């Protein structure tokens, strides 16, 4: 994603203050970050779950974009193009077992 910036607030910014203020300026991006958490029926995070990302256009044609795996907290993130003509389908699968 091109729309990323980092801000580091050092301890001296908190001297004798309860609130630190900062101004962050970023350029608009044509991408959006999709995030989520995969849980089991007991609402426990599933590490290593496979999330398949598919683009669906207005004609209902599908294009596979790829796969991501969830982290130890069941979380995933993927960057996709922001387009009002496109829907995104996310399919989740249980973790792949190694043999």
């Amino acid at each position: 994603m091109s729309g990323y910036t980092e801000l580091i607030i050092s301890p001296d910014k908190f001297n004798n203050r309860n609130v630190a203020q900062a101004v962050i300026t970023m350029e608009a991006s044509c991408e959006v970050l999709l995030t989520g958490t995969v849980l089991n029926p007991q609402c426990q995070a599933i590490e290593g779950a496979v999330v398949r990302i598919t683009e669906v256009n207005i004609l209902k044609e599908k294009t596979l974009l790829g796969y991501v795996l969830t982290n130890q907290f069941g979380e995933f993130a993927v960057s996709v193009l922001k387009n009002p003509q496109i829907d995104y389908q996310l399919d989740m699968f249980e973790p792949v077992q190694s043999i």
Side-chain angles (χ1 to χ4, degrees):
M1 287 180 67
S2 58
Y4 167 82
T5 190
E6 183 176 287
L7 173 67
I8 298 174
I9 301 175
S10 60
D12 64 311
K13 300 291 184 197
F14 292 105
N15 288 344
N16 300 319
R17 297 184 187 147
N18 292 329
V19 176
Q21 294 181 340
V23 175
I24 300 171
T25 304
M26 295 175 59
E27 292 183 26
S29 173
C30 61
E31 297 174 334
V32 64
L33 186 65
L34 301 178
T35 63
T37 304
V38 179
L39 306 172
N40 66 16
Q42 292 76 40
C43 293
Q44 299 166 324
I46 301 178
E47 180 178 3
V50 178
V51 180
R52 178 175 60 196
I53 302 96
T54 305
E55 179 182 282
V56 183
N57 67 23
I58 58 174
L59 300 175
K60 303 298 182 198
E61 298 168 330
K62 296 182 178 185
T63 303
L64 177 64
L65 297 181
Y67 299 85
V68 295
L69 299 177
T70 58
N71 65 13
Q72 64 184 359
F73 306 109
E75 303 166 329
F76 68 90
V78 62
S79 174
V80 296
L81 292 177
K82 184 175 20 177
N83 183 336
Q85 304 293 321
I86 299 293
D87 290 331
Y88 291 98
Q89 177 179 324
L90 304 176
D91 299 297
M92 284 58 125
F93 302 92
E94 61 188 48
V96 176
Q97 302 294 322
S98 59
I99 301 175

